[in-house]
Amino acid sequence: MKAAISAFVFMFLMFSLSGSAYAAEYFVSIEGSDQHDGRSWDAAFATVQQGVNALDAGDALTIAPGEYRESVEREDLGNDEEQTIIRAQIPGTVLLRGDVPAPAFEPVDGYRFVYRAAFDREVQAVNERDTLRILESVPDISELEFAPGGFHYDPQEGMLYISTTDLQPPAEHEYTLSVIEGRGGIFLKNARNVVVDGLAATGFHSSTSLPRMRGGSSSSDGIPHGFFLWRSENSVVRNCTAFFNAGGITVLSAGHNTIEDCTAFANYSQHGGSAGNIVVMSVHHDTIRNCHAYRGGNHGIRMYGAGEDPVALIEG
């Protein structure tokens, strides 16, 4: 009798725990369609944005392996009672991209170190991927001759001009062009109890400063990031990687957030003094744990204190 009761209690607990793991689960796949309802792999959405739009507090979004060229934004996701999850089906196999491969460049007559390529989209940044460098925008072509590692885009001509970081021909390097406008790979405003797990983001940049958000605290508000949780609380960025973005992995804290097991490199912007690789701003009982960062301008892993109780922990 006792054994039967124990078995019943065990089954009841397992059912209760499995049922409370998330309220609903949605799916995204590069083979999906945003006309689907997203409630199964067979009916998966095609874009991460559509999946994030569908989430209510307590739901989970699972993303299939692949490259997704989009900038994802959501406001007021989650609540204090239920955990909301945005995750890769297989950690490290989901890449949000704001860039595209660069076309072939040719020398410009009258210059020794300037090269050009026709391109019909506004260029936000040029990424020299083999050297982990992001080329900075300059106002005219003549500066490229004397300032290695820059670019100038002429929208009237539809022409992109660059000089390489070492003054060698562009064919000696590998380039991508940041073209997708927005606030970054994943931008969550006022997130509550949200987990972002196992994603990567690259190529999100802006050639000019973005409009500052009301209530923002620093120049980081004016640049795209690989991952940016703005005024977030009790949220986690885990197993994520950010590279070749204006900012890497950034949390503007409303309290009790964690960045853990993440890597960020080659994130930099001339328009964001606080930009860089991994940062928590306005810290309030926040943690950065077991993270790695390198080649991010002057910045690696940082925390900025503010408010009455700026308790913070960097460990690992």
Side-chain angles (χ1 to χ4, degrees):
M1 183 66 177
K2 290 183 179 180
I5 293 174
S6 297
F8 174 82
V9 171
F10 175 78
M11 293 178 63
F12 175 80
L13 288 173
M14 291 300 294
F15 177 82
S16 299
L17 289 172
S18 63
S20 63
Y22 40 80
E25 185 171 10
Y26 295 91
F27 301 88
V28 172
S29 169
I30 56 175
E31 299 176 350
S33 168
D34 283 350
Q35 303 305 311
H36 293 163
D37 65 10
R39 296 301 297 272
S40 69
W41 285 120
D42 289 338
F45 296 127
T47 64
V48 179
Q49 183 67 70
Q50 189 75 355
V52 171
N53 288 347
L55 292 175
D56 289 324
D59 292 348
L61 175 66
T62 302
I63 307 166
E67 293 186 356
Y68 299 83
R69 283 189 164 87
E70 55 179 309
S71 179
V72 179
E73 300 186 17
R74 175 69 190 268
E75 187 171 352
D76 297 328
L77 177 61
N79 61 27
D80 295 330
E81 290 75 38
E82 303 166 286
Q83 191 173 77
T84 305
I85 301 173
I86 301 170
R87 63 191 175 194
Q89 182 188 19
I90 304 172
T93 66
V94 173
L95 179 61
L96 293 163
R97 298 198 67 161
D99 60 348
V100 296
F105 292 92
E106 63 180 12
V108 178
D109 291 340
Y111 294 92
R112 294 178 301 165
F113 304 119
V114 182
Y115 300 82
R116 70 179 183 180
F119 195 72
D120 61 359
R121 299 175 65 179
E122 185 74 29
V123 178
Q124 304 301 323
V126 178
N127 308 302
E128 197 175 80
R129 292 169 67 89
D130 57 304
T131 64
L132 302 184
R133 297 282 297 276
I134 299 174
L135 308 191
E136 295 189 3
S137 176
V138 300
D140 58 66
I141 304 171
S142 61
E143 289 196 28
L144 297 174
E145 185 77 356
F146 306 100
F151 80 93
H152 174 76
Y153 181 71
D154 188 325
Q156 281 72 40
E157 291 184 352
M159 194 68 65
L160 172 64
Y161 298 87
I162 72 167
S163 62
T164 66
T165 57
D166 57 5
L167 300 180
Q168 297 301 305
E172 301 295 322
H173 297 283
E174 180 185 350
Y175 292 98
T176 67
L177 310 180
S178 296
V179 295
I180 293 181
E181 298 184 41
R183 293 206 172 264
I186 296 284
F187 174 69
L188 301 179
K189 186 177 181 181
N190 303 325
R192 294 292 180 271
N193 204 11
V194 174
V195 175
V196 180
D197 191 352
L199 309 183
T202 189
F204 293 97
H205 221 285
S206 178
S207 60
T208 60
S209 294
L210 301 176
R212 297 284 287 274
M213 291 177 288
R214 185 176 181 180
S217 64
S218 77
S219 58
S220 287
D221 296 337
I223 61 172
H225 298 252
F227 302 90
F228 195 3
L229 274 60
W230 193 89
R231 300 289 185 190
S232 64
E233 185 173 1
N234 197 32
S235 294
V236 179
V237 181
R238 177 187 299 130
N239 296 324
C240 291
T241 304
F243 55 105
F244 288 108
N245 306 289
I249 301 171
T250 301
V251 170
L252 176 59
S253 176
H256 302 276
N257 301 283
T258 300
I259 303 174
E260 62 184 2
D261 300 317
C262 292
T263 300
F265 61 93
N267 300 288
Y268 171 78
S269 173
Q270 64 195 105
H271 304 297
S274 299
N277 281 320
I278 296 176
V279 57
V280 176
M281 298 179 292
S282 300
V283 296
H284 181 73
H285 295 273
D286 302 290
T287 300
I288 298 176
R289 178 185 300 116
N290 297 333
C291 292
H292 299 84
Y294 55 95
R295 295 296 294 272
N298 296 323
H299 308 301
I301 296 175
R302 295 156 296 130
M303 285 184 162
Y304 291 106
E308 298 180 358
D309 192 14
V311 178
L313 176 65
I314 299 178
E315 63 180 7

